[in-house]
C-alpha cells in the first residue's frame, strides 16, 4: 500500500476563507488567494489542496467557504458534489467552519476521523504529506486531537509554534503537545530553534469529530450544542449561525486541550508555505541565479533590478531597484519592497476606511 492509498473512514475538511490582505491587489475579498494560481502550475491553491486530499479521502472531502465564494469554488472543484461545499452565511472564523463540518461528519460516519487543512497552503511533497496525515489518523483514532508540526527552516515571527512534550511510545516521532506558543519575536524564535522541540503551527488538525466537539463543549457547551443542532437541521442556519462565536479553532479547542494533556503532534517533514505575503511568494517562486521573478504573462523588462513582478497584459519595466515588488492589475498597482511586504495590509485598511471597498 502506498502512502497515497485511501484511508478508511477518513474525511478531509478544507476551510476556504479569508481575504489575504497582504497579497492585495492580487487577492481580494471577492477573489481570495486560494482561488489563484500562485505557483504558475496551472492549478489554483484550492485545486492543489483537493489534489492532495482526494486520493486519501475519495468522496469524503468537504469544503467550507463563504456564500460569496461558493460558485467560484464549485467551478474550480467541479468533481465535488454540491452538498460537499458548505456555504457560511457570514465569516465566523475557523472554529465555526471546522465545527460545522465535524458535526455533519459525526452524524454521517460514526467511525470517522477528520482532518482540517487550509485551502491556501503550498505543499509540493504529496507523498510526505500523505504519510504524515496517515500517521496522524492512527494517533487520532485513539482519542487524541492531533496537530501536524512543521519543521522550522528559519526563525520566523509570522507563525505560531508548537512545543513538544513527552513522546508517544507507540507512535514513533509523535509526541504530546506541552504548549501552543503565539507568534514570537524573531529573537525568541531564534531561541526556539536553538533549544529544539519546537515546530511551526500550520493549523492542520486531525481528530475524531466527536472528540473535537466534546473538547469544544468542555469550554463552550452552547457553541458545541449549536453546531450539532445545525447538523441535525440545516433549516436553522439563519437562526443559529449569527450567534456562533468568532474564534479560531486554536483558541477555542487546541490551546485548552493541550493544557489538559489531550493534544499530540506528528512531525511534518515536508516543505510547507502559507504564502502570507509577497516576500514569501518571491521566496517560493525564486530560482537561483534569476534576479527577477515573474508570475503571469506580462512582458517584463528588467535593467539592474531584482525582486518580484506579478502582472498580466501590459508591459512592465523595472530599472535600478533591488528586492522590489510590483503587482499590476487592471484597477490597482502596488509597488513596494520585499522587506515591507507585510505592510500591504495597511493599504487595504485605508482603502476600506475611505470608502473604496470596490478595490478591496
Amino acid at each position: 500500500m502506498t502512502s497515497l492509498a485511501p484511508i478508511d473512514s477518513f474525511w478531509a475538511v478544507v476551510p476556504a476563507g479569508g481575504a489575504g490582505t497582504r497579497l492585495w491587489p492580487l487577492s481580494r475579498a471577492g477573489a481570495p488567494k486560494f482561488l489563484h494560481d500562485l505557483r504558475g502550475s496551472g492549478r489554483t491553491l484550492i485545486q492543489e489542496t483537493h489534489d492532495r486530499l482526494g486520493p486519501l479521502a475519495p468522496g469524503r472531502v468537504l469544503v467550507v467557504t463563504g456564500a460569496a465564494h461558493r460558485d467560484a469554488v464549485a467551478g474550480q472543484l467541479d468533481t465535488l458534489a454540491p452538498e460537499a461545499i458548505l456555504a457560511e452565511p457570514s465569516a465566523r472564523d475557523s472554529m465555526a467552519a471546522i465545527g460545522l463540518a465535524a458535526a455533519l461528519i459525526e452524524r454521517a460516519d460514526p467511525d470517522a476521523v477528520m482532518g482540517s487543512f487550509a485551502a491556501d497552503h503550498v505543499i509540493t511533497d504529496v507523498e510526505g504529506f500523505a504519510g504524515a496525515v496517515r500517521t496522524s489518523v492512527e494517533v487520532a483514532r485513539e482519542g487524541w486531537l492531533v496537530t501536524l508540526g512543521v519543521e522550522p527552516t528559519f526563525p520566523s515571527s509570522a507563525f505560531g509554534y508548537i512545543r513538544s512534550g513527552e513522546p508517544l511510545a507507540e507512535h514513533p516521532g509523535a509526541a504530546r503537545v506541552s504548549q501552543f506558543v503565539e507568534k514570537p519575536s524573531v529573537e525568541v524564535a531564534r531561541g526556539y530553534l536553538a533549544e529544539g522541540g519546537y515546530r511551526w503551527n500550520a493549523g492542520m488538525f486531525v481528530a475524531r469529530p466527536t472528540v473535537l466537539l466534546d473538547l469544544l463543549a468542555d469550554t463552550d457547551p452552547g457553541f458545541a450544542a449549536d453546531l450539532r443542532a445545525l447538523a441535525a437541521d440545516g433549516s436553522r442556519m439563519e437562526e443559529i449561525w449569527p450567534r456562533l462565536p468568532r474564534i479560531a479553532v486554536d483558541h477555542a479547542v487546541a490551546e485548552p486541550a493541550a493544557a489538559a494533556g489531550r493534544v499530540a503532534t506528528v512531525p511534518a517533514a515536508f516543505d510547507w508555505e502559507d504564502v502570507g505575503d509577497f516576500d514569501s511568494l518571491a521566496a517560493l517562486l525564486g530560482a537561483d541565479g534569476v534576479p527577477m521573478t515573474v508570475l503571469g504573462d506580462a512582458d517584463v523588462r528588467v535593467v539592474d533590478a531584482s525582486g518580484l513582478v506579478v502582472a498580466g497584459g501590459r508591459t512592465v519595466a523595472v530599472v535600478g531597484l533591488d528586492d522590489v515588488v510590483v503587482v499590476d492589475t487592471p484597477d490597482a498597482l502596488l509597488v513596494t519592497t520585499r522587506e515591507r511586504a507585510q505592510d500591504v495590509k495597511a493599504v487595504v485598511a485605508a482603502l476600506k476606511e475611505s470608502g473604496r471597498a470596490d478595490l478591496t
Side-chain angles (χ1 to χ4, degrees):
M1 180 178 67
T2 71
S3 61
L4 298 179
I7 302 174
D8 290 343
S9 295
F10 173 62
W11 291 69
V13 175
V14 180
T21 56
R22 294 179 180 86
L23 288 171
W24 181 89
L26 180 64
S27 177
R28 309 192 188 194
K33 66 178 179 176
F34 61 82
L35 295 174
H36 293 274
D37 174 8
L38 294 187
R39 297 201 307 118
S41 68
R43 303 285 283 171
T44 66
L45 295 185
I46 195 170
Q47 287 174 326
E48 290 188 335
T49 301
H50 184 265
D51 293 345
R52 290 192 298 273
L53 293 168
L56 305 179
R60 299 187 300 274
V61 177
L62 297 181
V63 177
V64 189
T65 192
H69 305 133
R70 191 192 187 288
D71 290 346
V73 169
Q76 292 197 4
L77 302 179
D78 55 5
T79 61
L80 281 185
E83 60 270 20
I85 303 175
L86 310 178
E88 303 174 287
S90 59
R92 312 305 293 173
D93 218 320
S94 61
M95 186 66 250
I98 296 168
L100 176 59
L104 289 167
I105 296 168
E106 181 183 49
R107 295 179 65 84
D109 185 353
D111 297 322
V113 172
M114 62 173 279
S116 173
F117 308 94
D120 55 5
H121 291 174
V122 173
I123 299 170
T124 55
D125 180 3
V126 177
E127 289 271 359
F129 170 77
V133 171
R134 191 173 297 277
T135 299
S136 298
V137 170
E138 293 172 359
V139 177
R141 290 196 198 280
E142 298 176 5
W144 293 92
L145 172 62
V146 183
T147 180
L148 276 70
V150 175
E151 184 69 37
T153 55
F154 64 96
S156 174
S157 61
F159 307 130
Y161 286 74
I162 302 162
R163 185 178 184 182
S164 298
E166 61 188 52
L168 303 184
E170 63 275 27
H171 298 287
R176 189 187 300 267
V177 171
S178 65
Q179 185 184 12
F180 284 91
V181 183
E182 294 291 338
K183 297 175 182 178
S185 66
V186 172
E187 187 63 30
V188 171
R190 191 174 290 118
Y192 290 166
L193 269 62
E195 180 182 342
Y198 287 86
R199 290 178 175 268
W200 285 336
N201 177 15
M204 296 183 280
F205 293 99
V206 180
R208 291 168 50 203
T210 298
V211 168
L212 182 69
L213 292 170
D214 286 352
L215 287 171
L216 175 61
D218 287 343
T219 56
D220 193 335
F223 195 173
D226 276 345
L227 291 169
R228 283 172 163 143
L230 268 179
D233 184 359
S235 69
R236 299 182 64 190
M237 181 68 78
E238 290 187 9
E239 168 202 350
I240 293 175
W241 190 263
R243 72 184 186 220
L244 298 180
R246 295 176 182 267
I247 188 171
V249 66
D250 303 66
H251 302 315
V253 170
E255 292 171 2
R262 299 288 304 278
V263 184
T265 183
V266 166
F270 49 82
D271 289 339
W272 167 86
E273 178 59 69
D274 77 340
V275 198
D277 58 29
F278 286 112
D279 179 51
S280 60
L281 181 60
L284 175 71
L285 298 177
D288 291 341
V290 179
M292 184 66 75
T293 300
V294 178
L295 179 63
D297 57 1
D299 176 21
V300 178
R301 305 302 175 95
V302 177
V303 178
D304 294 330
S306 64
L308 171 70
V309 173
V310 181
R314 59 182 173 178
T315 298
V316 176
V318 185
V319 180
L321 298 174
D322 291 326
D323 289 333
V324 70
V325 173
V326 178
V327 184
D328 187 27
T329 69
D331 61 352
L333 171 68
L334 169 72
V335 181
T336 184
T337 63
R338 290 183 59 175
E339 183 180 7
R340 299 295 299 275
Q342 286 274 325
D343 297 334
V344 172
K345 63 180 180 179
V347 176
V348 177
L351 286 170
K352 289 179 179 178
E353 289 175 6
S354 63
R356 294 305 308 273
D358 60 303
L359 290 175
T360 64

